[in-house]
Amino acid sequence: MTDAPQTDVQPDRQPLARLLGGRPVLVPRGGERGEAMALLLAEHGAQAALVPLIEQVPPRDNAPLEESVTQLNRGAFDWVAVTSVHGAQALIAAGARPGSARVAAVGPATAAALTTAGFAVDLVPPEFTGAELAARLIDTISAERSPGGRVLLPLSEIAEPTLEEGLRAAGFAPDRVTAYRTVPAHADPAADAALRPRLGAALVLSSSGARALAARFAPLPQTVVVVAIGAPTARELSRLGLPPAVIAPVHTAAGTVAALVDYAARTINPEGQTT
């Protein structure tokens, strides 16, 4: 008795590698966080080009943050809402003490940065956006007490006002303070020019990153697959003439990589051809 011939088409196990054809994916981070994204891409046969597009630097004047943290440690705030890992790091560096207020974090990476420093995170929304954080925080506070509670918001200097406007419209008292500044990273024009025609995809993790990408790499070749971490970033990319092919449904760095992998799987048929 002989084995029957294999008639089923085997699934393509590396559609991302086939989609990109050896072209690299722009990862807009360096350091450990960029390397973590590069490892995720390598699992699918893709090469990463680590190109930090933005960086975070201290405020021009650190006194307002220090004063806000002093008030926080004295119990003046009911909640502190943190919208990024950098905001968490700035808050911790300024001397914030665990237990001074309840803590809301925009997503798992921000929550991890806080819990590593000893903070108990009371709220993480199911969708990792400022709008969803505001909605869940409003629901939580409203269920416990009447509107009016103070909420500290340690944000980037250029952060969109989504969170504070949502809280204020619901009758709460958000105190926004600049915890850090987001500025374009140092660019190497010659390296950028050499990389641009080789790119297969670009991952974009923020609106400020979208602006930096446009400033350094636009116009991108039409074949480059642009992936946005979420809708606000997608809108900014479109405004800049770089409309994304993919918007990640999970608004994290890993979710953005996964969205690119899923796009490749939907784009490449089992024979490895583009649909």
Side-chain angles (χ1 to χ4, degrees), residues 55-74:
E55 61 183 358
Q56 285 68 38
V57 298
R60 292 183 177 87
D61 180 4
N62 212 45
L65 176 62
E66 292 174 350
E67 175 58 28
S68 293
V69 168
T70 297
Q71 293 185 42
L72 175 68
N73 290 339
R74 289 174 178 168

Side-chain angles (χ1 to χ4, degrees), residues 10-16 18-19 264-265 268-273:
Q10 295 298 308
D12 184 1
R13 298 187 181 279
Q14 286 199 320
L16 182 55
R18 294 183 182 276
L19 177 70
I268 300 293
N269 67 23
E271 286 76 25
Q273 297 175 336

Side-chain angles (χ1 to χ4, degrees), residues 118-221:
F119 289 81
V121 177
D122 301 280
L123 173 65
V124 179
E127 294 185 14
F128 312 137
T129 65
E132 186 67 14
L133 180 60
R136 296 297 173 136
L137 189 53
I138 289 166
D139 289 346
T140 300
I141 299 175
S142 297
E144 297 174 348
R145 56 172 292 170
S146 60
R150 291 187 71 189
V151 183
L152 177 61
L153 308 179
L155 302 175
S156 166
E157 182 181 51
I158 61 172
E160 296 180 1
T162 305
L163 179 56
E164 61 190 292
E165 289 179 352
L167 290 167
R168 188 171 290 111
F172 299 105
D175 283 39
R176 174 172 177 154
V177 63
T178 296
Y180 61 95
R181 292 183 295 128
T182 301
V183 299
H186 174 74
D188 182 337
D192 289 353
L195 177 61
R196 184 186 297 109
R198 298 176 47 238
L199 283 174
L203 307 178
V204 190
L205 305 179
S206 66
S207 295
S208 53
R211 292 188 287 273
L213 178 72
R216 289 175 58 174
F217 289 94
L220 287 170

Side-chain angles (χ1 to χ4, degrees), residues 101-117:
R102 299 182 72 183
V103 178
V106 75
T110 302
L114 290 162
T115 55
T116 298

